[in-house]
Amino acid sequence: KNQVEQSPQSLIILEGKNCTLQCNYTVSPFSNLRWYKQDTGRGPVSLTIMTFSENTKSNGRYTATLDADTKQSSLHITASQLSDSASYICVVREQTGANNLFFGTGTRLTVIP
Amino acid sequence: DGGITQSPKYLFRKEGQNVTLSCEQNLNHDAMYWYRQDPGQGLRLIYYSQIVNDFQKGDIAEGYSVSREKKESFPLTVTSAQKNPTAFYLCASTMGGTSYEQYFGPGTRLTVT
C-alpha cells in the first residue's frame, strides 16, 4: 500500500534555530517527491522537488534530501524565522496512473521568538 | 496576474443545503483538481479533470459533484448527501498530464451546521 508518513507531527523551536523534518514513503514505482509549505488557512506552496537521481537540493534556507534506497526524505530549515511557522507537507508522486499523488499529513512547525 | 482563485474564502450553510465552491485559473492549465483537507489528515482527492467536459472521481467523491464546461473553471458542489461536509477545500491545477507541479488555490473553509 502506497503511504507517506511524516514526523514529527508538530514541532516548536526558537527563532534562529535549525530543524529537520522527516518524510518516509512506501510509494512505488517512485517518480518524485515535493515539499510544500502551507500557511494557516492558505493553499500549499511548493518549496522543492526531488527526483530519483537527486540527493540534495536547496532553496534558500530550506534544504531537502532524498535517499531513494531507504525511501526517506528530510527538509532542513536553517536559521528559522517567525515566518517559517506553517505546516510542511511531503507529497510523493507514483510513476504510473492518473491519480498518483500521495500526501503526508504534514508537520506543524511553530517558531517562537 | 496569473494564479488560481477560490471563492468565497469562508462559507456557511445549513445542513441539507447544496453549496457550490468556485475555482478559477488563468494559468492555461489543462488539469484541475479538488481536495479536501481535515485536521490530522493528508489531502484527499475528491474529483479531477484532465480536459474540458471530462472528469474522474477521486478517492472520496461520494456526496460531491463537479463540472468542467470551461478550461478556466472547475466548480465543486457539495450536496446534502455528503455526510460530513465541514472541511477546508483546496482547488489545484497543473499544466498537463500528471507529471507537473500542482498549483494550489487559497482554499475555501466550508462550515455546515
Side-chain angles (χ1 to χ4, degrees):
Chain A
K1 181 180 178 182
N2 288 320
Q3 286 185 313
V4 177
E5 295 184 352
Q6 293 187 244
S7 62
Q9 188 173 14
S10 62
L11 183 62
I12 301 174
I13 62 172
L14 290 173
E15 184 179 12
K17 297 296 186 181
N18 303 337
C19 67
T20 299
L21 314 179
Q22 298 289 345
C23 174
N24 296 339
Y25 62 92
T26 60
V27 178
S28 182
F30 174 84
S31 177
N32 61 55
L33 181 150
R34 280 188 190 273
W35 283 95
Y36 283 88
K37 178 186 179 186
Q38 184 178 22
D39 293 316
T40 300
R42 307 293 296 271
V45 175
S46 178
L47 292 174
T48 185
I49 179 173
M50 306 291 290
T51 58
F52 187 87
S53 59
E54 295 173 311
N55 299 119
T56 304
K57 185 177 285 187
S58 293
N59 177 7
R61 294 181 297 102
Y62 300 102
T63 298
T65 66
L66 175 66
D67 186 333
D69 292 330
T70 61
K71 298 186 177 180
Q72 296 179 325
S73 177
S74 66
L75 181 69
H76 185 74
I77 304 175
T78 304
S80 61
Q81 300 176 358
L82 298 179
S83 59
D84 292 332
S85 294
S87 288
Y88 292 83
I89 302 172
C90 175
V91 183
V92 181
R93 183 181 291 280
E94 187 187 17
Q95 272 190 12
T96 58
N99 180 14
N100 62 352
L101 283 181
F102 297 88
F103 292 82
T105 56
T107 292
R108 176 69 202 177
L109 174 65
T110 303
V111 180
I112 58 175
Chain B
D1 192 19
I4 303 176
T5 57
Q6 292 185 242
S7 62
K9 187 167 180 61
Y10 299 97
L11 192 54
F12 298 89
R13 280 294 183 270
K14 294 290 187 182
E15 193 173 323
Q17 292 179 334
N18 292 353
V19 59
T20 298
L21 282 60
S22 168
C23 178
E24 304 278 334
Q25 55 96 1
N26 60 6
L27 300 168
N28 199 33
H29 284 174
D30 292 314
M32 297 185 73
Y33 306 79
W34 274 106
Y35 293 93
R36 171 182 172 137
Q37 188 174 37
D38 295 284
Q41 296 193 42
L43 273 68
R44 291 184 290 169
L45 182 64
I46 304 172
Y47 268 99
Y48 64 100
S49 168
Q50 294 183 288
I51 195 170
V52 174
N53 291 323
D54 188 43
F55 48 83
Q56 286 77 40
K57 293 181 179 180
D59 300 318
I60 55 165
E62 184 176 352
Y64 299 97
S65 66
V66 294
S67 63
R68 187 86 186 277
E69 297 177 1
K70 299 186 300 182
K71 187 176 185 178
E72 303 80 17
S73 179
F74 191 40
L76 173 75
T77 297
V78 184
T79 74
S80 57
Q82 168 50 234
K83 300 303 181 187
N84 188 18
T86 294
F88 188 54
Y89 290 87
L90 285 163
C91 179
S93 71
T94 187
M95 186 181 303
T98 56
S99 300
Y100 296 92
E101 175 185 351
Q102 287 196 343
Y103 291 82
F104 287 87
T108 292
R109 171 75 61 185
L110 173 64
T111 302
V112 177
T113 58

